[in-house]
Amino acid sequence: MKNIGVLRYFSLLLWAFSLFNSTLYAQDKPKPIINASLEGVVLDSLTQQPIEGVTIQLDAVTHAVKTDQDGRFQFVTGQKLPFTIKLSFLGYKTKNLVVDVSPTAILLSPSSEDLDEVVVVGYGTQRRRDLTGAVGSVPESFLKQKVSSVDQSLKGAVSGVQVTQTSGQPGAGVSIRVRGGASIQGGNEPLYVIDGFPVYNQSESTGVNSGTPINPLASINPNDIESIEVLKDAAATAIYGSRGANGVVIISTKKGRAGRVQLNYDGSKGWQSVVKQIDALDAQSFARLRNETLYDTNPSKGKYQYLSEEQISHLGEGTNWQNEAFRVGEVQNHQLSLTGGAERIQYYLGANYLNQEGVVVNTDFRRLGFRSNLHAKPFERLDVSANLTINKTNSQIAPTGIINSLLIMPPTATIYEADGSYTLRNPFENIFANPIATLLETVNESNNLRVLGTAYAQYELLKGLSAKVLFGVDLSNRNDKYYLPSYIYEGSGSRGTANLGNLENQAWLNENTLTYSKSFGQHDLNVLLGFTQQESSTSLFNAGASSFVTDELLYNSLQSGSVLIRPNSDAYDWVLHSLLSRINYNYANKYYVSASIRRDGSSRFGSANKWGNFPSLAFSWRASKEDFFTGLLPTINDLKVRASFGATGNQEIGQYQSLATLYALNYYFGNAVQTGFASQRVPNAELGWETTYQYDAGIDLAFLQNRIQISADYYYKRTKDLLLSVEIPWTSGYATSLQNFGSVSNKGVELSIKTKNVQGAFNWDSDFNISFNRNRVLSIGDGSDRYINGNYLIAVGEPLGTFYGTVTDGILQLGEEATKGVYTGNPNPKAGDRLYKDIDGDGKFSTANDRTIIGNAQPDFIFGFSNNLSYQGFDLSFLIQGTVGNQILNINRQNLEMFTGQQNASIDALDRWTPENPTQVYPRAKLDPAPIFSDRFVESGTFVRLANLRFAYSLPKTWLSSAHLNQAEVYFIGQNLLTLTNYRGFDPEVTSGSNVQIGTDAGIYPVAKTLSLGLSLTF
């Protein structure tokens, strides 16, 4: 009933806006002085299809009209035939012609290039041909993908942008690196600017949920996105100052257009499944492995200490835990939008519902959202706009470690006991819970309500001089709920545990800018001045209880738990004030200069370093505009050379890091528990920004009537004053202090090629990009050149993500115990133990002294190749993307190759060492649960993937008129359909999301293959 109410309310809202639009349209319609009119239709000269949205303007008249969905237009004017008119539309050549008959048919020719395309840059727009910086645009076909969050649309879309899954869970996030990562402890993700509001995509925890956090960008509906631009070099990002070091992603949502009202429905239903499973032992093979490990530990008890061979023969396959947990999940996506307007006001309304079932049981993501965009020009000099989105999300999250548990749970264990209760845990020595019980019975919910909106007014003070004032808010309220029932292993000891958490974030933005544009002769000048301020405040609270009489109430009655979990609350905020300026100048559309500077003041840094300056300078030369060029290279239509330099910053370190903050603690005094405070960190008044200096040289080339467009860039980035926790003397009372030490570099080459291969009744366009990046640590502090972080090494001269471990050297064979046994690391070596290389040359092996560099998670290059083909209503688009040269630390494989008999093992255990099978690859079975990290578990992460395929058919308009439809399209979408890789894990496109420990696969939720069918209708 609630859903019916929502639909009814939305229907009334659509009707009201339609009535409002038609009234305005009628009011704006010009009254003719005499009865003179011009009617016509505008068609594509190649396809003969009508073109919607073409602007037609009469000579010497400011008023203009646009073509409707059928390409038709009408003028009513006081002029008489013949008319001189001008037609313009993005992607087509502007046309001027004299019309002496009405009605008339006009053909527009495609421009075959997008150099005149207007792209969104920081605090403004520019024609693509006028850009001096490195700016990449996400192709329109990428925005048609069915993804849960907008950042997933960037995969393979733009050169220099690496997108890697941190989890395949519905609503989970991705890790994005624009021209490599540079920070070790600070943020490495780009800044997102959504309709003018800057957002750093970082999930904050309430301390309640277990598992991968939900991506905050998943609260933004991808169906509402009109365009995405990626600012990469300093010339483009320096205008964002202290937040531009990791690149800037500018997201613009759909706007209304003047003309007839359009109502659009787009709905799809899909099915998701895991791409592959990991082959593990069945019950019979596992039982034999366990017998072998027990015999190795105590041979006196015989070879059948677990089960006899007769008992093993009756086991069958046992429990396949992956089959029990993985499912085919359904995905539904429904979008309803209304757009229209008159000359002075345009609007866009949209509503979306997404319901995505994960490929793991009881993991889901749902989103219900509403968007309203309004633009009006009430007076000739005044523009006003308002953009608002409201989204409600609900997620059931897979608990931490659940994928690893599915792999290692013994197949001889059952999900249920004979009495129907859950089997609590692994029945052997290693203690871990029944993963199916954990998945089905744990309540692990996250619910979020987010309101994001901006509104601005822009007034032309004088000719060419405009003032703009923008206000924005980003409000979110997250409620997390967690309950462990008493009848599963994790909750049995506490007799049930419940936790509730709430996190509220309120951010507001104010931008005040002056823009002056002037053209005189062959000179074009654009000047921007501005002052901005942004503030954010966050508060969180969590509480819990355990030892419940009943599990029926879940988390809804904390007071009924006899043991209260200590509550926790916190609050923090930050402020950023900025002054900014930019000058763009070009002479004769040949010589371009752009300079900008931003001065930021941030509350996050020390009192002596709160303000920072971030300048940039860029030049470009359009050689193709020179008089000598045409005769020299007549086939080249456009050639531009670019160069830029600038500085940007990184402030993503959290709050109050420069201050001597306190934390609460309990202590005993006077035979009672007292509460006091202790100092948390040493203050650092000098703490400042990480600063990235970037050089960029690029070339943009178009030839063969602009059908081939090439853009190439070389860049060098050096990030200095890294924010690092530096060791300080223990006499200070602290172990470390956050200071500005060290530097990291990234340098690379990017290439992008866009081609229009075939044009006519059959069209074929391609877009290829490839990127090479080399990351290096230049310094890491005062007097240090390396330090170890788990399985990783951070060392001067090496890239971040360097694996540091032992090197395997075969298997110890019979008769080699006395000579090679010292290289096993075991005090009592046996044949079948794994051998390791003696790195330090001391004549023996130890994990402490014999480690070396064994791989790196940085790729040699990444690429994306998309194609769009169309013919008589049929459209086909597909994306092939890949990563080459990187390695992945496969923790799952390390766990599955221990052969302990305490947990399940890889299918490779069938080829383990025995006296009858003296392999040099797999060790013997032994009851030793301590793994040694080695090159054995560092695998190639190279892959090539058919990431997205979309096939659509648009029904002929002659079929639709009786149904009052302007357009109807049916489509099929496939995602992750085919992956070519040697990686043995679930999926090679995986990372932990850590700055340092990148490329680690530690039981990450698998990425899914998706098949969807959809229908799009326009009324």
Side-chain angles (χ1 to χ4, degrees):
M1 294 299 293
K2 290 183 179 180
N3 290 336
I4 294 175
V6 171
L7 291 173
R8 183 177 299 160
Y9 173 77
F10 188 68
S11 300
L12 289 172
L13 193 62
L14 294 179
W15 174 82
F17 267 81
S18 300
L19 182 62
F20 179 59
N21 171 76
S22 56
T23 303
L24 287 172
Y25 190 81
Q27 291 175 350
D28 281 355
K29 194 171 183 179
K31 297 180 180 179
I33 300 172
I34 61 175
N35 189 21
S37 65
L38 173 64
E39 298 179 14
V41 60
V42 180
L43 304 174
D44 186 295
S45 62
L46 297 176
T47 65
Q48 303 299 310
Q49 294 295 311
I51 310 172
E52 178 189 359
V54 177
T55 300
I56 302 101
Q57 186 172 3
L58 277 171
D59 185 41
V61 176
T62 58
H63 179 64
V65 297
K66 291 181 182 291
T67 55
D68 62 17
Q69 297 93 332
D70 300 319
R72 299 190 177 279
F73 68 92
Q74 180 179 19
F75 258 122
V76 179
T77 179
Q79 296 188 33
K80 297 182 180 180
L81 291 169
F83 295 143
T84 300
I85 63 173
K86 176 182 179 181
L87 296 92
S88 58
F89 186 63
L90 181 64
Y92 288 81
K93 295 178 182 178
T94 300
K95 189 169 189 175
N96 294 280
L97 76 160
V98 177
V99 178
D100 56 8
V101 63
S102 177
T104 183
I106 304 171
L107 301 179
L108 275 190
S109 300
S111 62
S112 300
E113 48 95 1
D114 59 359
L115 298 179
D116 285 322
E117 175 189 3
V118 176
V119 297
V120 181
V121 294
Y123 301 95
T125 59
Q126 281 186 281
R127 290 186 307 170
R128 184 171 295 281
R129 67 171 68 245
D130 296 336
L131 291 174
T132 56
V135 179
S137 298
V138 175
E140 182 182 355
S141 60
F142 285 67
L143 302 178
K144 294 180 180 181
Q145 301 179 45
K146 296 301 178 183
V147 292
S148 60
S149 62
V150 63
D151 47 0
Q152 294 176 351
S153 301
L154 293 171
K155 287 184 181 180
V158 178
S159 64
V161 180
Q162 182 182 11
V163 181
T164 312
Q165 290 283 157
T166 57
S167 172
Q169 160 133 352
V174 296
S175 172
I176 294 182
R177 298 292 180 266
V178 178
R179 294 185 167 181
S183 185
I184 294 177
Q185 288 184 226
N188 267 322
E189 299 294 320
L191 177 72
Y192 294 86
V193 181
I194 305 172
D195 284 336
F197 198 105
V199 173
Y200 188 76
N201 192 41
Q202 180 178 10
S203 180
E204 298 177 273
S205 173
T206 61
V208 168
N209 292 130
S210 169
T212 304
I214 295 301
N215 180 8
L217 275 183
S219 63
I220 306 299
N221 176 19
N223 296 284
D224 288 333
I225 304 304
E226 180 73 29
S227 67
I228 302 177
E229 319 292 344
V230 182
L231 314 185
K232 297 183 287 186
D233 71 337
T237 62
I239 198 68
Y240 288 101
S242 63
R243 295 181 289 181
N246 301 316
V248 179
V249 179
I250 299 183
I251 299 172
S252 302
T253 58
K254 294 177 180 177
K255 308 296 190 293
R257 291 188 295 182
R260 185 185 303 174
V261 178
Q262 282 190 358
L263 176 64
N264 178 263
Y265 166 77
D266 190 306
S268 64
K269 185 171 183 178
W271 296 266
Q272 294 187 316
S273 60
V274 290
V275 175
K276 62 179 289 189
Q277 292 191 16
I278 306 300
D279 292 329
L281 297 180
D282 61 15
Q284 293 185 2
S285 298
F286 172 78
R288 294 187 179 100
L289 174 67
R290 179 157 178 81
N291 275 336
E292 201 168 313
T293 59
L294 294 175
Y295 177 75
D296 178 77
T297 304
N298 191 351
S300 63
K301 291 187 177 181
K303 293 186 176 182
Y304 300 100
Q305 298 177 36
Y306 174 46
L307 293 174
S308 68
E309 193 60 42
E310 182 181 356
Q311 291 172 313
I312 291 174
S313 65
H314 291 92
L315 287 177
E317 293 186 0
T319 304
N320 187 318
W321 295 92
Q322 294 180 72
N323 282 347
E324 297 293 336
F326 295 143
R327 65 177 175 182
V328 176
E330 291 189 359
V331 184
Q332 292 188 57
N333 198 331
H334 302 277
Q335 173 80 11
L336 191 63
S337 62
L338 181 73
T339 182
E343 181 185 2
R344 297 255 180 209
I345 186 168
Q346 300 90 41
Y347 60 83
Y348 172 89
L349 293 172
N352 171 258
Y353 174 70
L354 170 68
N355 187 355
Q356 182 178 3
E357 295 179 346
V359 295
V360 177
V361 295
N362 204 27
T363 59
D364 309 281
F365 177 76
R366 291 185 295 276
R367 180 181 61 233
L368 180 64
F370 171 78
R371 171 167 290 279
S372 172
N373 288 350
L374 177 69
H375 177 262
K377 191 170 181 136
F379 310 109
E380 191 61 35
R381 293 189 173 187
L382 179 65
D383 280 286
V384 294
S385 180
N387 308 291
L388 177 67
T389 180
I390 303 172
N391 287 284
K392 179 75 170 66
T393 62
N394 172 266
S395 308
Q396 173 67 15
I397 303 171
T400 299
I402 198 68
I403 301 300
N404 182 62
S405 296
L406 292 172
L407 296 176
I408 64 177
M409 192 69 172
T412 55
T414 58
I415 301 174
Y416 301 100
E417 300 286 3
D419 61 1
S421 62
Y422 282 111
T423 299
L424 288 181
R425 66 174 186 87
N426 170 30
F428 306 121
E429 295 84 352
N430 276 7
I431 299 176
F432 45 89
N434 179 341
I436 302 302
T438 302
L439 276 170
L440 295 178
E441 303 302 330
T442 302
V443 178
N444 193 27
E445 290 184 8
S446 183
N447 304 282
N448 186 58
L449 176 65
R450 187 174 191 179
V451 178
L452 176 64
T454 56
Y456 72 81
Q458 180 170 296
Y459 186 76
E460 187 178 17
L461 302 171
L462 301 169
K463 184 174 178 59
L465 178 63
S466 298
K468 180 179 179 180
V469 178
L470 180 145
F471 285 95
V473 294
D474 184 7
L475 311 175
S476 64
N477 187 308
R478 195 170 94 223
N479 289 291
D480 294 341
K481 302 171 182 179
Y482 187 75
Y483 187 75
L484 274 177
S486 61
Y487 49 84
I488 68 173
Y489 177 73
E490 300 96 314
S492 59
S494 62
R495 293 171 54 199
T497 299
N499 292 95
L500 291 173
N502 176 261
L503 188 145
E504 291 187 5
N505 179 265
Q506 301 177 7
W508 65 268
L509 169 74
N510 168 233
E511 294 178 350
N512 309 277
T513 56
L514 282 173
T515 304
Y516 178 69
S517 297
K518 177 69 174 178
S519 297
F520 45 98
Q522 298 191 75
H523 305 272
D524 286 302
L525 179 67
N526 180 274
V527 181
L528 170 72
L529 295 172
F531 167 72
T532 75
Q533 49 188 338
Q534 185 172 355
E535 298 187 10
S536 175
S537 60
T538 302
S539 62
L540 66 87
F541 171 80
N542 61 55
S546 63
S547 192
F548 291 93
V549 176
T550 177
D551 292 303
E552 294 298 321
L553 299 176
L554 302 177
Y555 43 72
N556 295 307
S557 182
L558 295 183
Q559 65 274 18
S560 64
S562 59
V563 178
L564 297 181
I565 299 173
R566 188 178 184 183
N568 177 63
S569 63
D570 198 1
Y572 44 89
D573 53 28
W574 58 266
V575 178
L576 182 70
H577 289 179
S578 309
L579 299 167
L580 57 95
S581 175
R582 180 177 60 209
I583 299 175
N584 291 328
Y585 167 78
N586 87 72
Y587 174 73
N589 289 324
K590 289 190 290 187
Y591 311 108
Y592 297 81
V593 179
S594 178
S596 72
I597 186 168
R598 178 163 177 148
R599 181 168 171 80
D600 279 341
S602 173
S603 63
R604 301 190 183 199
F605 296 104
S607 56
N609 259 329
K610 287 198 178 295
W611 288 88
N613 299 316
F614 305 95
S616 75
L617 183 63
F619 304 91
S620 66
W621 171 43
R622 284 188 70 198
S624 56
K625 296 291 288 185
E626 299 288 358
D627 294 337
F628 64 82
F629 189 87
T630 304
L632 233 109
L633 297 167
T635 60
I636 295 181
N637 309 111
D638 194 81
L639 173 63
K640 181 170 68 174
V641 181
R642 299 177 278 105
S644 68
F645 166 77
T648 49
N650 186 356
Q651 68 160 6
E652 298 304 327
I653 59 168
Q655 291 76 37
Y656 315 126
Q657 296 297 308
S658 68
L659 303 177
T661 54
L662 303 176
Y663 69 97
L665 76 165
N666 294 337
Y667 62 95
Y668 283 95
F669 185 78
N671 295 323
V673 177
Q674 307 292 335
T675 300
F677 290 90
S679 179
Q680 191 170 14
R681 65 175 63 91
V682 62
N684 182 5
E686 301 294 327
L687 190 67
W689 278 281
E690 294 182 348
T691 304
T692 297
Y693 298 96
Q694 183 172 181
Y695 305 84
D696 185 279
I699 183 171
D700 300 320
L701 177 67
F703 54 96
L704 296 181
Q705 298 300 314
N706 296 318
R707 291 179 61 173
I708 300 178
Q709 300 175 32
I710 299 174
S711 181
D713 283 84
Y714 169 80
Y715 62 87
Y716 177 78
K717 293 169 56 177
R718 181 174 178 269
T719 302
K720 71 180 192 70
D721 298 330
L722 295 180
L723 294 159
L724 294 175
S725 294
V726 179
E727 291 187 2
I728 57 177
W730 284 94
T731 53
S732 66
Y734 304 91
T736 61
S737 170
L738 187 64
Q739 300 180 24
N740 292 108
F741 269 110
S743 61
V744 171
S745 72
N746 286 276
K747 63 180 178 180
V749 175
E750 300 169 354
L751 177 66
S752 176
I753 304 174
K754 296 182 179 181
T755 61
K756 295 188 180 295
N757 308 310
V758 180
Q759 290 181 294
F762 172 70
N763 287 278
W764 175 22
D765 303 337
S766 298
D767 193 330
F768 174 76
N769 66 80
I770 188 169
S771 310
F772 303 81
N773 183 74
R774 297 296 178 263
N775 175 274
R776 289 291 182 271
V777 176
L778 302 179
S779 63
I780 54 174
D782 189 13
S784 301
D785 64 355
R786 61 172 49 199
Y787 69 89
I788 299 170
N789 187 313
N791 295 323
Y792 291 78
L793 176 71
I794 300 173
V796 173
E798 299 295 335
L800 295 174
T802 295
F803 300 114
Y804 193 66
T806 62
V807 180
T808 57
D809 195 23
I811 303 296
L812 186 68
Q813 301 297 323
L814 290 170
E816 297 179 340
E817 294 87 347
T819 56
K820 293 186 178 181
V822 292
Y823 302 120
T824 65
N826 297 326
N828 300 304
K830 290 184 179 181
D833 288 342
R834 195 182 292 281
L835 292 169
Y836 299 90
K837 288 189 176 181
D838 175 19
I839 301 298
D840 65 357
D842 64 354
K844 60 183 178 180
F845 168 79
S846 69
T847 55
N849 300 322
D850 293 310
R851 286 186 290 176
T852 188
I853 294 173
I854 56 175
N856 188 267
Q858 301 280 356
D860 292 336
F861 63 90
I862 58 176
F863 69 91
F865 180 46
S866 62
N867 287 267
N868 300 284
L869 303 96
S870 62
Y871 178 73
Q872 293 187 351
F874 292 95
D875 290 279
L876 174 67
S877 64
F878 62 89
L879 166 66
I880 298 173
Q881 62 153 145
T883 300
V884 176
N886 63 305
Q887 278 92 41
I888 299 173
L889 169 52
N890 190 344
I891 297 294
N892 294 329
R893 185 177 179 185
Q894 178 176 279
N895 293 333
L896 290 172
E897 286 194 8
M898 287 194 289
F899 305 164
T900 63
Q902 298 175 341
Q903 61 190 41
N904 205 4
S906 164
I907 194 79
D908 296 325
L910 296 176
D911 195 32
R912 62 188 178 272
W913 188 94
T914 64
E916 297 76 29
N917 182 42
T919 176
Q920 288 285 353
V921 180
Y922 300 104
R924 65 186 173 91
K926 61 177 178 178
L927 198 65
D928 182 3
I932 295 177
F933 173 56
S934 71
D935 60 343
R936 173 74 186 164
F937 312 114
V938 176
E939 302 182 40
S940 170
T942 295
F943 74 91
V944 177
R945 164 173 288 162
L946 178 57
N948 190 76
L949 183 145
R950 185 180 191 272
F951 180 71
Y953 176 66
S954 296
L955 276 65
K957 290 186 178 292
T958 54
W959 297 5
L960 306 176
S961 57
S962 60
H964 304 288
L965 284 170
N966 292 319
Q967 183 179 1
E969 181 185 66
V970 292
Y971 59 83
F972 163 81
I973 293 179
Q975 293 168 297
N976 301 327
L977 294 180
L978 176 66
T979 302
L980 303 177
T981 183
N982 290 325
Y983 181 61
R984 299 184 58 180
F986 285 110
D987 190 82
E989 190 183 7
V990 64
T991 185
S992 63
S994 165
N995 292 351
V996 176
Q997 299 187 1
I998 56 179
T1000 294
D1001 184 357
I1004 292 175
Y1005 192 116
V1007 173
K1009 175 174 65 178
T1010 307
L1011 303 176
S1012 302
L1013 295 173
L1015 173 67
S1016 178
L1017 303 174
T1018 300
F1019 298 88

